[in-house]
Amino acid sequence: MKFDFHIGTIDEVLKVDAQIPEFDGRTTANKLITKLADKANLILIACHDNKPIAHKIGYEVSNTEFYSWLGGVAPKYRKQGVATELRKQQESWVIDNGYSAISVKSMNKYPAMLQLLISSGYQISGYEDNGCVTSSKIKFIKYLN
């Protein structure tokens, strides 16, 4: 399968999110606009046959650190390297734009993401206790060259 990648739009993010059952429709245009307002940000989209099927969104948290906020791949397209390619493109953009680190949070209920982060050189940097182990967040950071 061939995938195309580009800098995308909030509308494309919403089209991807509608295909991801784990997200339960929680992402709204207003939430995205509010979170990304007044900060450097990047929206990456993966498409198959001109249809958005995955995204990776991040934003600046300081002049040295970029936060990888949201990402997802439609179930039909998982295990085909799409998330890995989005991660690589995001990391490349982060380096090209002068950041020295990229951070991300994930949860125990997403074991594939935890494995992807660790195997991609991200290190555990903290824990955000939200009252139970399934909804608490594990913080990761990767220092870039």
Side-chain angles (χ1 to χ4, degrees):
M1 226 177 272
K2 183 174 177 349
F3 302 102
D4 298 303
F5 300 88
H6 65 270
I7 293 177
T9 65
I10 288 174
D11 185 54
E12 289 174 306
V13 170
L14 296 173
K15 287 177 182 174
V16 172
D17 276 13
Q19 302 171 64
I20 300 176
E22 297 92 335
F23 289 173
D24 299 326
R26 291 176 289 175
T27 305
T28 64
N30 190 48
K31 178 180 178 182
L32 294 167
I33 291 165
T34 301
K35 184 62 89 170
L36 300 176
D38 301 324
K39 45 180 90 110
N41 66 76
L42 175 66
I43 297 173
L44 290 172
I45 300 290
C47 291
H48 178 254
D49 291 336
N50 295 316
K51 176 186 169 191
I53 54 94
H55 67 66
K56 192 140 191 77
I57 307 168
Y59 56 85
E60 179 181 88
V61 291
S62 75
N63 61 352
T64 61
E65 185 178 334
F66 193 82
Y67 180 65
S68 182
W69 176 41
L70 287 176
V73 179
K76 176 180 175 182
Y77 301 98
R78 292 177 184 169
K79 307 268 188 229
Q80 297 180 51
V82 176
T84 297
E85 182 59 27
L86 285 169
R87 177 190 54 78
K88 288 178 179 178
Q89 288 192 20
Q90 184 183 59
E91 289 175 3
S92 179
W93 184 92
V94 166
I95 290 167
D96 289 348
N97 283 273
Y99 301 97
S100 58
I102 187 166
S103 59
V104 64
K105 296 177 192 172
S106 193
M107 295 183 256
N108 283 322
K109 65 182 177 180
Y110 302 126
M113 178 56 77
L114 298 175
Q115 291 169 349
L116 175 72
L117 290 168
I118 290 169
S119 68
S120 301
Y122 287 75
Q123 298 177 315
I124 295 171
S125 61
Y127 185 74
E128 188 177 288
D129 191 343
N130 292 328
C132 86
V133 294
T134 55
S135 65
S136 294
K137 295 182 179 179
I138 302 162
K139 299 177 184 180
F140 293 86
I141 195 160
K142 181 175 184 177
Y143 295 99
L144 306 165
N145 298 330

